[in-house]
Amino acid sequence: MTLDQIISYKPGPKQRWLIIGISWLGVLLIGVAHYATGPRIALYAFYLAPIMAVTWFIGPRWGAATAFVSTLNWVLVYVGLLPEWKADHIELLNEVLRFSMYVLLVAVAWQWRKALDRESMLARVDTLTQIPNRRAFFEMARIELERARRHGHP
């Protein structure tokens, strides 16, 4: 699979749940790594990959849910690492800001995905007549020729 194919990939229902499951497992593993490395090493940047993947392939609601799970995971790791850690106003503000940063990433990634999809459609459809253009014709022809070769048809 090329990078273009990965970026434009649209998962089916089963693949969507697989992406969510793998991403949330990744969040859990990042939490375990964070717990193992201790409080002095901040791994919050690593949570961006699962949040971005879920947002890009599934949508903004699940991206925000992954951001919430990531923030909750972060808090639970800190409670486990530092028993004296207390949820005072400063700590709660830190977590709200972390969650806000993740949600901002979700919004930017989703807008980026929508813009890419729109541009991809505009590159293949004539804006005046709304019919496929030359590029779309050659893409469909290439796909059909590959299918004919694969099945042994002339």
Side-chain angles (χ1 to χ4, degrees), residues 22-57:
I22 289 172
S23 295
W24 285 23
L25 179 64
V27 167
L28 180 66
L29 292 175
I30 293 166
V32 169
H34 186 200
Y35 187 81
T37 58
R40 297 189 64 190
I41 299 176
L43 299 179
Y44 62 88
F46 290 99
Y47 289 105
L48 298 177
I51 293 169
M52 182 75 169
V54 169
T55 302
W56 189 263
F57 294 114

Side-chain angles (χ1 to χ4, degrees), residues 15 17 34 38 48 52 55 59 66 70 81 84 89 93-94 97 109 113 117-118 121 123 125 143 147 154:
Q15 292 88 8
W17 288 111
H34 186 200
L48 298 177
M52 182 75 169
T55 302
T66 306
S70 298
L81 283 173
E84 70 276 359
H89 298 334
L93 179 63
N94 282 340
L97 290 175
R113 174 66 189 237
D117 289 345
R118 192 181 99 252
M121 189 271 306
V125 175
I143 291 169
R147 182 178 299 140

